[in-house]
Amino acid sequence: MKTFLTMFCIICTTCLLKAQTLKQVEYFIDKDKGVGKNTKLNLTSSADSSYKFNIDVSGISNGFHKLYIRAKDNKGKWGLTAIRNIEITGSFDQPEITTGEYFFDTDPGHGKGNIISVSTPDSAVEKSFNGVVSSLSPGYHKLYTRLKDDAGSWSITTRRNIEIIKTADTIKIVAAEYFLASDKGYGKAFKKVFTDSVVDGKFKIKIPYNRIPADGDTLFVRVKDSLGNWSLTKLDTFKIASFAKTLVASSEENVNVNNDAKAFAVFPNPANQFININFKSKMKSATLQVFDVNGKRVLQTIVTPEISNSINVSKLSAGSYLAEINDGETKQTAKFIKQ
């Protein structure tokens, strides 16, 4: 189907006398059939003026051509022939998008992915769809999409990075474990398995008295979820008041408390970027050292008694640590958790 050249505007000026007026024009493309033998257009008689009219190019091939126009006055005399260069182009119908598909990570081949339905085909569409991710493992994946038009041609494949995160209501606490001295590693401490797993909640652990070491004063607890992931290790200090058969420990509090006259406190506990150190001493300063669960010193600095010393622990890995104060006369220790 050819494009029509519409509203062609040309100024037709006769070279005749001023009293003469234009009455008719004729035009032809490329080949002249002779004066008065081409396509004619009648004009409203008037002196030299501008006229607008349509040129039918439906029978002309695509490409460059020459358009010729000449005018006749009211006395039947034809003027000079005007020439214009024109280009004929075929009509351009944009393809319409009819469907699409998506897939994750691995390309199954064109037409074999998950369907993206397009209710109203168009040359441009904006489409939202719900991707099925139930078969994907938690973590990072790649989402691919592509579209197909009414001629059966596929677009290029686009890619987006996505992360699959299991929602909180699908993850439950299934077990817990505790230790009172050295950490032997995840899953290697005294364990408690929950018969009825829960999303969140409180629990109690009964610890036999004979499991408590002679100098034990700190309980470490952590839990495992239904995905097999262990939580951070929480700690709490305790004192043995009597020779009870069992010690019931709760995981609700995590505060270091020591009632000794020269005690020092580490807070907040657990800590994120900073810990605050408060202690008493007759000396003007003391040395603070921090050790990890393997006994390796990971931090050392000078602190001052009777004030709150703020210590940056942001570079420490998450886990349990022992803080030790030495003022030259006595040593004091406290345990804390770095989240």
Side-chain angles (χ1 to χ4, degrees), residues 13 24 35-36 62 114 140 178 180 206 208 214 265-266 274 305 320 331:
T13 306
Q24 191 179 61
V35 177
N62 294 339
N114 299 294
Y140 291 97
Y178 71 91
L180 297 129
K206 292 184 177 181
V266 180
F274 293 90
S320 303
K331 291 183 181 180

Side-chain angles (χ1 to χ4, degrees), residues 99-246:
T99 189
E101 67 178 7
Y102 73 92
F103 55 91
F104 298 99
D105 300 328
T106 304
D107 190 344
H110 288 81
K112 297 180 180 180
N114 299 294
I115 296 175
I116 301 174
S117 61
V118 177
S119 56
T120 306
D122 201 347
S123 58
V125 296
E126 183 175 344
K127 179 68 178 177
S128 298
F129 65 93
N130 294 322
V132 180
V133 298
S134 56
S135 63
L136 299 180
S137 61
Y140 291 97
H141 296 268
K142 296 186 183 299
L143 167 65
Y144 297 86
T145 59
R146 56 190 171 219
L147 301 172
K148 186 172 72 170
D149 63 21
D150 51 5
S153 300
W154 286 95
S155 69
I156 60 173
T157 304
T158 61
R159 185 186 73 185
R160 295 290 184 273
N161 293 321
I162 63 170
E163 182 180 7
I164 303 299
I165 301 174
K166 295 292 184 181
T167 56
D169 58 355
T170 64
I171 304 175
K172 295 183 178 181
I173 299 172
V174 296
E177 68 177 11
Y178 71 91
F179 57 94
L180 297 129
S182 61
D183 188 351
K184 296 180 181 180
Y186 293 104
K188 297 180 180 180
F190 297 109
K191 188 177 296 185
K192 175 181 176 65
V193 177
F194 301 129
T195 304
D196 297 322
S197 57
V198 295
V199 174
D200 197 3
K202 299 177 182 179
F203 60 89
K204 292 183 178 181
I205 300 177
K206 292 184 177 181
I207 303 173
Y209 181 78
N210 58 8
R211 287 185 182 175
I212 303 174
D215 58 347
D217 64 355
T218 305
L219 172 67
F220 299 85
V221 180
R222 57 191 170 221
V223 297
K224 185 173 72 171
D225 64 23
S226 54
L227 297 177
N229 299 316
W230 286 97
S231 70
L232 295 175
T233 303
K234 302 291 185 178
L235 64 82
D236 194 10
T237 58
F238 64 87
K239 286 186 177 181
I240 300 177
S242 63
F243 292 95
K245 292 183 178 180
T246 60

Side-chain angles (χ1 to χ4, degrees), residues 6-76:
T6 62
M7 302 302 287
F8 185 87
C9 179
I10 184 170
I11 298 176
C12 298
T13 306
T14 66
C15 296
L16 305 177
L17 298 176
K18 291 183 180 180
Q20 296 168 326
T21 58
L22 300 180
K23 184 177 181 181
Q24 191 179 61
V25 297
E26 70 172 3
Y27 71 87
F28 56 93
I29 297 175
D30 296 330
K31 186 176 180 180
D32 189 354
K33 297 179 180 179
V35 177
K37 297 181 180 181
N38 299 288
T39 303
K40 298 180 180 63
L41 297 171
N42 295 322
L43 303 176
T44 300
S45 298
S46 64
D48 297 352
S49 184
S50 297
Y51 299 91
K52 294 181 179 179
F53 50 90
N54 296 331
I55 303 295
D56 184 0
V57 295
S58 57
I60 309 301
S61 62
N62 294 339
F64 291 97
H65 297 269
K66 292 186 180 297
L67 170 64
Y68 297 85
I69 299 176
R70 54 186 169 229
K72 184 173 68 173
D73 64 17
N74 58 343
K75 294 185 178 181

Side-chain angles (χ1 to χ4, degrees), residues 290-310:
V290 177
F291 301 89
D292 63 16
V293 292
N294 297 316
K296 179 181 178 182
R297 186 178 65 192
V298 294
L299 188 152
Q300 178 174 316
T301 188
I302 302 299
V303 290
T304 304
E306 307 296 339
I307 66 170
S308 181
N309 300 266
S310 182

